Amino acid sequence: MPSLREKLAEHGFESNDDYEFQLRCLLESPTRGVRTLNIEGDGERRKTAFATALAHALDYPHVLYHDFTDEHPPLPEIILPPSRDELGREEPPIAPLDQIVSEACAQSEGEPTVLILDQLHAADFREHIRVHRLVRSGVWTVLEGRYFANPRHLLLFLISEEPLYHSLQKESFRIWIGRVSERQVRYCPSDFGLDPSAQPLFDAFADLFRVLGTAPTRSEFTHLLRDLRLHARSVEHLQLSLYGRTEGLDRQALAASSLAGELAKVMDAAQTMWAAASIASGAETSFTGSDD
């Protein structure tokens, strides 16, 4: 069965970090209200990618999304009918937040539902208080109407570039999503179908990544190996490949003079390995030809 990390990668979020423990804490702890995940970090829109991938990795049939900075949000699946006051006057149109939260409550009555509220820092503080009431009571009030969430089905993800309203934070489980993976992975040649002769290249890469303070994911490292084999012929090429393939890598750090030795070691190891592989391939071809 695929791990959570593998399922997240399938849905567009790849990381060396494992979030299994945090997810168990969120989903398996008793709660009186709506389970809420506060997604923090320096990953900018990477946090949004994590929230969306996690919702799909959990196989929730309904995933609803609202961005408080979006000036033209899409129309919801469920449109609340206009209401009138006691004098017959039509009330103002329902706000996008009310539409999406009401829809989430309705969907959660029958099936598991994830509601993602993104860029919450851009919302009026009164909306923070309303979200807190939803989390505590499972009730969302729109004008004179009340919408009830099923706490067993509704899961709420909150993303904000600023600290949450204190009471809302206390009701949430907090998780950190960084620009780069925090967990260092030391790859082996066998992980990529290579023989042990490639170990010097992998050692040189490990030293380079340690100096850079980065931890490429498996797919990023796969692309780097392919670029080295097919395209990179100089340190400059290697720098361009590293910047192009590795998320969160600082461009100025790659140009630092202190990194020159580590970059040269990677290029030397790569050229030695591919040259040896080419010679071995030629020898094998020659040997096969002599049998004919």
Side-chain angles (χ1 to χ4, degrees):
M1 183 176 180
S3 66
L4 176 62
R5 186 164 60 242
E6 291 170 331
K7 293 186 74 174
L8 286 170
E10 290 175 6
H11 293 286
F13 181 85
E14 189 179 23
S15 174
N16 295 333
D17 302 324
D18 188 354
Y19 302 99
E20 293 270 7
F21 174 79
Q22 297 97 312
L23 190 61
R24 287 200 307 272
C25 290
L26 173 68
L27 298 180
E28 298 177 9
S29 298
T31 180
R32 292 177 299 173
V34 176
R35 286 186 171 86
T36 303
L37 183 66
N38 174 21
I39 303 174
E40 291 190 347
D42 55 12
E44 299 170 348
R45 285 298 184 168
R46 184 172 166 84
K47 299 191 289 293
T48 303
F50 172 80
T52 305
L54 179 58
H56 290 290
L58 293 173
D59 295 323
Y60 273 48
H62 303 288
V63 179
L64 288 79
Y65 176 83
H66 177 74
D67 184 338
F68 284 97
T69 62
D70 189 353
E71 297 180 358
H72 304 285
L75 292 175
E77 295 181 10
I78 299 176
I79 300 178
L80 302 178
S83 58
R84 298 181 182 275
D85 63 17
E86 63 276 7
L87 299 178
R89 294 172 300 191
E90 188 171 304
E91 298 283 356
I94 304 300
L97 176 64
D98 288 324
Q99 288 277 12
I100 202 76
V101 177
S102 301
E103 181 180 346
C105 291
Q107 298 285 16
S108 73
E109 290 181 5
E111 294 184 296
T113 301
V114 171
L115 172 60
I116 304 171
L117 297 182
D118 201 350
Q119 305 299 294
L120 188 57
H121 62 277
D124 188 285
F125 184 69
R126 288 168 292 188
E127 304 294 16
H128 293 233
I129 296 175
R130 295 181 71 202
V131 173
H132 174 249
R133 289 173 182 162
L134 169 69
V135 173
R136 288 279 301 200
S137 66
V139 178
W140 186 257
T141 303
V142 182
L143 300 178
E144 300 302 321
R146 303 178 76 198
Y147 298 84
F148 296 88
N150 184 339
R152 294 189 301 274
H153 286 169
L154 183 59
L155 191 58
L156 181 61
F157 294 166
L158 304 179
I159 305 172
S160 176
E161 301 302 326
E162 299 174 3
L164 291 182
Y165 167 50
H166 173 72
S167 299
L168 185 54
Q169 173 58 68
K170 297 298 290 184
E171 299 292 337
S172 309
F173 186 89
R174 187 167 52 170
I175 192 170
W176 180 269
I177 306 298
R179 289 189 305 111
V180 297
S181 302
E182 295 183 354
R183 178 171 171 260
Q184 294 284 341
V185 177
R186 194 175 183 95
Y187 297 112
C188 300
S190 59
D191 296 333
F192 301 86
L194 299 173
D195 60 48
S197 64
Q199 190 60 51
L201 173 60
F202 281 66
D203 292 340
F205 260 129
D207 292 339
L208 174 63
F209 295 146
R210 185 170 58 253
V211 174
L212 282 170
T214 191
T217 62
R218 185 183 181 90
S219 71
E220 289 172 343
F221 195 73
T222 299
H223 286 307
L224 288 171
L225 290 175
R226 186 179 296 115
D227 286 348
L228 272 179
R229 180 168 61 87
L230 298 177
H231 309 298
R233 297 295 179 265
S234 67
V235 167
E236 182 182 2
H237 288 167
L238 175 58
Q239 289 170 309
L240 293 172
S241 177
L242 285 163
Y243 183 74
R245 299 296 190 184
T246 311
E247 186 177 12
L249 193 57
D250 184 74
R251 184 170 174 269
Q252 292 183 337
L254 282 171
S257 58
S258 58
L259 203 65
E262 305 300 335
L263 291 167
K265 279 194 237 178
V266 171
M267 283 307 304
D268 290 344
Q271 291 171 351
T272 300
M273 186 184 83
W274 302 133
S278 177
I279 292 172
S281 176
E284 182 178 348
T285 302
S286 176
F287 178 76
T288 302
S290 66
D291 279 345
D292 294 338

